[in-house]
Amino acid sequence: MTLSPTHVLIIGNGMAGQRLVEALLAQPAPPSRITVIGEERVPAYNRILLSPLLAGELDNTALTLRDADWYAEQGVELILGDRVEHLERQARQVITASGRRIGYDHLVLATGSRPALPPVPGIALAGVHGFRDLDDAAALTDCAARGGNAVVIGGGLLGLEAAEGLRKRGMDVSVLQRSPQLMNRQLDATAAGLLENELAERGLDVITGAQLAAIEDDGHGRVAAVRLDDGRRLPADCVVVAAGITPNAELGRDAGLDSERAILVDAHLTTSDPAIHALGECCQFDGRTYGLVEPIWRQVEVLAAHLAGEAVDGYVEQPSATKLKVSGVSLYAFGPTEASPEHDVLSYHDPERGDYRRLLLRDGRLEGAVLYGDTGAGPWYFEQAQAGSDLSACRQALLFGPADVQALRDAAAEDLARANDSAHQERPVEEAA
């Protein structure tokens, strides 16, 4: 293996930063030196598994992606528990909170994001938590051990998982969702209603259309209740904020990198400084910011090849499907969440089995799907949508997945073959000759 004589410094030891390290090491000519700086005290871990950790279904070790020994074995310098405070672009150095000065040839910002905090009184009180890292999970576990009431702000995936984890640990939990339905970015109204009913049956108090007015103080700087703008007051021993994310773009912005909501990058994940790159939740490309792993993994592959000097096509946006498991309920969705007047809508609902499917077609081609419960056919639907397949001939079997569609196609092919045979046999002798 030939080493590229460059030093790549990665700020951020989250999932994106870790994925980039592994992708760099897999290149034909990896950098001769890789340094990773992580603000947290532990090596990279799978944040997607924070929910089962909070619920008590996993322990911390199950989340670890690579331990510190792995980095050492790979020749990667890993610095944990230190925060980069300043970038000195002209000197190509970073300065950490502990006073380290570290140079680089290429710098990668993989600083992730933090919870978006609603601008309401009391948001900084003790007992108000995010749900983004191991420290958050530990703090919420401690809250749950004391029992009482929890209020979760946000009815998306993260909020619902946090709510269910706290419920499983014995707390009385209310979920506040500003929109009229849960998971409004992924589900249609019917699927969202099914999910809300399921969670209510388990004991969660779901309040949709909720407008947060304030978080009340107990008089000692700690949360006591949550107040809505309609006057309702919900007792709260802890509050979890899971209402979106804010990119951690300040480091690059303060260094003068072009930024909007996040740090602007081109198709090779390069910022306005050619020696600095940004990746994942802290970057913005073509007007978009990121919160799901699939596009970030594609960014990693592009950036790793680019840093290793390989010729690589730039990153391009691609449609993606969302496969989720919310509190034991499987969901799969892509495309529009609601139908337009131009859509042909197919739907199926089996209440006893807890299955719901809704497909949106335009001119015989699939544009969107929502699957609740049985999601096995989801990837096949997505493939058909990506291929632009004309599904008009098998419309009546579409709701039941690829097996039924194929059976219909096979039957149609057999009917056509028989018709052709019959037509051939009935032709006059002169014509057949």
Side-chain angles (χ1 to χ4, degrees):
M1 177 186 294
T2 302
L3 298 180
S4 171
T6 57
H7 179 202
V8 175
L9 173 60
I10 302 170
I11 301 177
N13 188 221
M15 292 175 68
Q18 165 62 26
R19 184 93 168 194
L20 178 61
V21 170
E22 300 212 20
L24 284 171
L25 293 172
Q27 295 300 312
S32 57
R33 183 182 172 195
I34 301 173
T35 302
V36 180
I37 304 176
E39 185 177 351
E40 294 186 69
R41 299 180 299 276
V42 297
Y45 54 89
N46 188 342
R47 296 179 193 274
I48 296 171
L49 297 179
L50 284 173
S51 299
L53 175 68
L54 176 59
E57 299 165 358
L58 296 174
D59 60 20
N60 285 20
T61 58
L63 276 66
T64 302
L65 296 172
R66 298 288 190 180
D67 60 23
D69 290 342
W70 178 86
Y71 291 84
E73 292 166 0
Q74 302 298 321
V76 175
E77 181 183 10
L78 178 63
I79 300 170
L80 296 175
D82 205 358
R83 177 184 176 87
V84 174
E85 299 281 3
H86 300 288
L87 306 184
E88 294 190 351
R89 290 169 52 192
Q90 287 189 331
R92 290 197 179 184
Q93 289 184 335
V94 304
I95 304 171
T96 73
S98 68
R100 288 184 175 95
R101 282 184 172 269
I102 305 172
Y104 62 85
D105 295 310
H106 289 278
L107 176 67
V108 178
L109 302 177
T111 49
S113 65
R114 60 187 182 275
L117 300 178
V120 297
I123 195 66
L125 289 171
V128 179
H129 305 276
F131 188 40
R132 298 289 296 170
D133 58 30
L134 286 174
D135 288 343
D136 292 334
L140 292 175
T141 300
D142 290 343
C143 289
R146 295 190 292 270
N149 299 289
V151 175
V152 176
I153 301 171
L157 173 64
L158 193 64
L160 295 179
E161 290 288 16
E164 183 66 357
L166 292 172
R167 184 197 67 79
K168 286 181 178 178
R169 287 188 177 268
M171 299 195 80
D172 294 324
V173 185
S174 298
V175 177
L176 307 182
Q177 170 71 334
R178 184 171 58 183
S179 78
Q181 67 181 57
L182 296 175
M183 297 187 68
N184 55 296
R185 293 185 178 181
Q186 292 89 13
L187 304 182
D188 67 354
T190 301
L194 293 171
L195 180 59
E196 182 176 340
N197 291 339
E198 169 68 23
L199 297 178
E201 288 176 2
R202 297 183 189 184
L204 291 179
D205 178 24
V206 178
I207 303 174
T208 56
Q211 300 295 324
L212 183 66
I215 300 175
E216 297 183 359
D217 194 327
D218 68 352
H220 304 284
R222 186 170 186 85
V223 61
V226 168
R227 182 161 41 85
L228 304 183
D229 66 353
D230 62 5
R232 280 181 287 180
R233 184 177 182 275
L234 308 175
D237 298 286
C238 75
V239 173
V240 182
V241 180
I245 59 176
T246 298
N248 290 326
E250 289 77 10
L251 188 62
R253 188 176 289 122
D254 292 346
L257 298 179
D258 291 348
S259 305
E260 291 177 359
R261 286 175 294 161
I263 301 166
L264 298 179
V265 296
D266 64 15
H268 288 96
L269 289 307
T270 303
T271 70
S272 52
D273 183 327
I276 301 179
H277 312 268
L279 175 71
E281 293 174 330
C282 70
C283 82
Q284 179 177 332
F285 173 70
D286 197 22
R288 296 178 176 86
T289 54
Y290 302 91
L292 298 175
V293 297
E294 185 178 337
I296 296 174
W297 288 174
R298 295 199 304 269
Q299 291 177 356
V300 165
E301 295 305 314
V302 171
L303 181 55
H306 180 66
L307 291 174
E310 297 291 310
V312 60
D313 292 335
Y315 172 80
V316 294
E317 292 293 341
Q318 297 177 14
S320 60
T322 303
K323 184 176 183 179
L324 307 169
K325 186 174 281 292
V326 180
S327 307
V329 178
S330 294
L331 306 166
Y332 191 99
F334 64 86
T337 55
E338 297 297 338
S340 71
E342 294 77 25
H343 280 127
D344 178 16
V345 181
L346 305 180
S347 63
Y348 164 82
H349 185 197
D350 183 344
E352 291 186 3
R353 300 182 64 177
D355 288 339
Y356 168 73
R357 300 167 205 167
R358 189 227 53 197
L359 307 178
L360 300 180
L361 294 95
R362 190 193 302 266
D363 299 326
R365 289 169 172 79
L366 190 58
E367 289 193 345
V370 173
L371 282 68
Y372 177 101
D374 181 0
T375 61
W380 182 83
Y381 287 131
F382 187 62
E383 288 175 8
Q384 301 306 306
Q386 290 300 99
S389 303
D390 187 346
L391 303 170
S392 303
C394 50
R395 179 186 182 281
Q396 67 189 65
L398 268 182
L399 283 169
F400 305 100
D404 283 55
V405 167
Q406 190 58 49
L408 184 63
R409 285 172 169 167
D410 291 344
E414 291 176 4
D415 288 345
L416 180 61
R418 282 196 295 268
N420 288 337
D421 287 345
S422 175
H424 179 76
Q425 292 170 4
E426 292 175 359
R427 286 160 56 193
V429 175
E430 295 84 357
E431 182 182 340

